[in-house]
């Protein structure tokens, strides 16, 4: 019935294409991507795990949970209240090794007594290595999630593993003469790092003002503002590669570029980093924080966005180019280019990932046709786009 329809095309994709044709908002055609479940991965089997449960009446069963809950700030009474919803799951691998994680059983509404999977949470880099090695053995694709503030995830089922750095949120502060070394886990919230700097009178971090997410994500994308970033502050970064290898990169090993990972071949996961900071008067820190806060005033703070969509081209501002091309007039489904800043796309309550992606492609196309500049994505994509 519709000329846009192709074999294997999802109904949502077809609706988007037809609506944009009727609205005279053409979208650059691209091949339909059909994501099918992997058939080479081993299905979940509860018998592959040894399960250790928390018993409120048995103190011995509770001791093994201590290292998992202590750093999360969850007290014993909370553990008592929710003990039916978590356990320790120990996986036995074919190479003879085992690893244990705090696990939350996943069930289906119609069969609440049947466990169909685990959400597993570790507490150290070594546990992340074990998970990565396990995923490689089953050919499972992996993504790393920090704060999720600059991520677009495909609609529907994401057939992949996601490693969250949330548990790697330790902070260790050491004084060394007139400087301070701060060792921060990748899961530490950026706002927590900025609050620490203000509390202790540490300079150099005011550029983090208004930047969401985690330290790991900020390092991975070299987040910054007004030409300032982590580059001069980092002493080393510890990472886990796609092959599951743990490595510590010294300052000289890192190559910092605008909004780019400091590695030629980026690792899968950042676990922690050491920053060398300096003391500064609190009045100066507050002044710098206010300066960077002023720079954020034109952004749609509080709106549902995934942050800046595109990187600034050399010598240009992506937001200015997008606005000059009339992109603020554009929308697809529930996705709309922000009226406050054209380099942000807002979800007005019903946007699908497909809507947002299509809108970014329309904006990209307009800028290229008008200025001959192809904007590069700053946001990261999980899944098929």
């Amino acid at each position: 019935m519709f000329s846009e329809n192709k074999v294997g095309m999802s109904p949502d994709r077809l609706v988007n294409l037809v609506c944009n044709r009727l609205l005279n908002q053409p979208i650059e055609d691209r091949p339909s991507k059909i994501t099918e479940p992997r058939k080479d991965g081993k299905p979940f089997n509860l018998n592959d795990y040894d399960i250790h449960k928390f018993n409120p009446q048995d103190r011995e069963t509770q001791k093994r949970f201590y290292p998992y809950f202590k750093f999360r700030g969850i007290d014993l009474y909370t553990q008592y209240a929710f003990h039916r919803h978590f356990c320790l799951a120990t996986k036995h691998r074919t190479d003879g090794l085992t690893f244990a994680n705090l696990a939350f059983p996943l069930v289906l509404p119609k069969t609440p007594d049947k466990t169909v999977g685990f959400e597993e949470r570790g507490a150290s880099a070594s546990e992340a290595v074990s998970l990565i090695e396990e995923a490689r053995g089953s050919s499972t694709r992996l993504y790393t999630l920090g704060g999720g503030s600059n991520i677009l995830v495909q609609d529907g089922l994401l057939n992949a593993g996601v490693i969250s750095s949330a548990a790697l949120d330790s902070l260790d502060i050491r004084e060394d003469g007139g400087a301070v070394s701060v060792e921060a886990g990748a899961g530490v919230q950026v706002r927590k790092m900025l609050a620490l700097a203000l509390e202790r009178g540490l300079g150099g971090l005011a550029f983090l003002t208004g930047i969401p997410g985690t330290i790991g994500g900020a390092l991975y994308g070299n987040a910054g503002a007004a030409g300032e970033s982590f580059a001069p502050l980092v002493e080393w970064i510890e990472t886990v590669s796609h092959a599951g290898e743990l490595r510590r990169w010294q300052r000289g090993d890192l190559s910092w570029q605008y909004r780019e990972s400091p590695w030629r071949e980026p690792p899968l996961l950042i676990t922690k980093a050491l920053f060398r900071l300096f003391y500064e008067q609190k009045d100066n820190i507050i002044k710098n924080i206010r300066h960077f806060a002023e720079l954020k005033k034109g952004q749609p703070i509080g709106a549902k966005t995934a942050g800046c969509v595109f990187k600034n081209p050399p010598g240009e501002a992506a937001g200015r180019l997008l606005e000059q091309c009339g992109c603020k007039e554009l929308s697809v489904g529930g996705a709309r280019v922000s009226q406050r800043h054209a380099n942000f796309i807002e979800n007005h309550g019903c946007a699908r990932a497909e809507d947002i992606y299509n809108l970014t492609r329309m904006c990209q196309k307009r800028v290229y046709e008008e200025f001959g500049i192809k904007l590069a994505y700053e946001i990261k994509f999980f899944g098929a786009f």
Side-chain angles (χ1 to χ4, degrees):
M1 182 179 292
F2 299 106
S3 60
E4 290 86 355
N5 192 23
K6 296 179 181 178
V7 176
M9 180 177 289
S10 70
D12 296 301
R13 173 68 173 162
L14 177 60
V15 169
N16 281 331
L17 290 175
V18 173
C19 288
N20 280 279
R21 172 171 58 79
L22 296 175
L23 294 171
N24 197 27
Q25 294 180 346
I27 298 176
E28 179 180 336
D29 193 23
R30 59 189 175 89
S32 297
K33 295 184 179 180
I34 305 172
T35 304
E36 297 183 355
R38 291 181 179 272
K39 298 179 180 179
D40 52 353
K42 183 181 178 182
F44 175 81
N45 187 343
L46 189 60
N47 294 326
D48 291 337
Y49 294 84
D50 288 336
I51 306 300
H52 177 80
K53 294 186 177 182
F54 183 103
N55 185 344
Q57 280 76 46
D58 186 349
R59 214 56 191 274
E60 289 301 314
T61 67
Q62 301 167 16
K63 290 180 180 179
R64 287 188 61 187
F65 292 88
Y66 181 76
Y68 294 90
F69 285 118
K70 179 186 176 183
F71 71 91
R72 290 183 170 96
I74 299 175
D75 61 29
L76 194 58
Y77 296 104
T78 304
Q79 296 173 45
Y80 285 164
F82 294 95
H83 71 276
R84 292 183 179 86
H85 302 286
F86 62 81
C87 63
L88 287 183
T90 302
K91 182 70 176 289
H92 297 271
R93 301 195 326 196
T94 55
D95 58 7
L97 298 178
T98 62
F99 64 92
N101 280 315
L102 183 65
F104 298 83
L106 303 176
V107 298
L108 298 175
K110 293 183 179 180
T111 54
D113 297 327
K114 181 181 178 181
T115 300
V116 297
F118 281 131
E119 178 188 347
E120 299 183 54
R121 300 185 185 182
S124 67
S126 61
E127 289 170 345
V129 170
S130 296
L131 288 172
I132 291 168
E133 291 176 346
E134 180 74 11
R136 288 184 67 210
S138 62
S139 301
T140 301
R141 184 170 184 179
L142 288 176
Y143 294 98
T144 302
L145 182 68
S149 56
N150 209 201
I151 300 292
L152 184 63
V153 184
Q154 72 172 53
D155 298 312
L157 176 67
L158 179 65
N159 187 34
V162 178
I163 298 178
S164 170
S165 64
L168 304 174
D169 61 351
S170 61
L171 269 174
D172 184 24
I173 305 166
R174 297 187 293 272
E175 294 191 21
D176 183 13
V180 178
S181 295
V182 178
E183 184 178 303
V188 172
Q189 294 290 319
V190 169
R191 62 177 180 271
K192 184 177 180 180
M193 191 80 164
L194 185 59
L196 171 72
L198 184 57
E199 177 188 346
R200 298 294 185 96
L202 303 175
L205 294 176
F207 71 89
L208 294 175
T209 304
I211 295 177
T214 60
I215 292 299
L219 285 168
Y220 196 91
N222 191 18
E228 295 193 30
S229 69
F230 283 118
L233 307 175
V234 173
E235 287 293 315
W236 51 257
I237 302 177
E238 185 181 270
T239 67
V240 181
S241 72
H242 290 266
E245 298 170 346
L246 193 65
R247 175 175 172 177
R248 182 167 293 184
W249 304 77
Q250 301 298 325
R251 176 193 291 268
D253 300 324
L254 305 170
S255 178
W256 298 97
Q257 299 179 46
Y258 172 74
R259 301 297 178 268
E260 291 284 353
S261 163
W263 297 276
R264 183 175 299 174
E265 295 182 5
L268 175 63
L269 173 70
I270 294 175
T271 59
K272 58 184 175 181
L274 183 70
F275 303 94
R276 189 79 164 173
L277 306 177
F278 54 88
Y279 287 110
E280 188 173 1
Q281 292 292 327
K282 285 193 177 181
D283 288 346
N284 288 338
I285 297 175
I286 293 172
K287 178 182 176 182
N288 291 333
I289 288 175
R290 285 175 176 165
H291 165 69
F292 285 102
E294 284 290 324
L295 299 179
K296 302 285 184 180
K297 275 191 172 180
Q299 297 181 2
I301 305 298
K304 297 178 181 179
T305 78
C308 287
V309 178
F310 301 106
K311 301 174 185 178
N312 289 327
E316 288 286 356
R320 185 185 67 81
L321 296 174
L322 291 161
E323 185 168 357
Q324 287 188 351
C325 291
C327 289
K328 283 187 174 181
E329 306 167 357
L330 301 179
S331 65
V332 175
R336 185 182 306 168
V337 176
S338 172
Q339 295 299 298
R340 296 200 66 183
H341 196 303
N343 200 20
F344 290 79
I345 290 178
E346 299 178 5
N347 182 346
H348 283 262
C350 58
R352 296 174 60 83
E354 186 83 2
D355 298 333
I356 296 169
Y357 180 78
N358 287 341
L359 186 52
T360 69
R361 296 288 289 173
M362 291 168 64
C363 292
Q364 204 176 38
K365 183 179 180 181
R366 281 204 179 188
V367 170
Y368 185 77
E369 290 176 346
E370 182 72 21
F371 299 104
I373 297 173
K374 185 173 182 180
L375 295 177
Y377 284 111
E378 185 169 320
I379 59 174
K380 308 300 180 187
F381 298 95
F382 282 17
F385 286 96

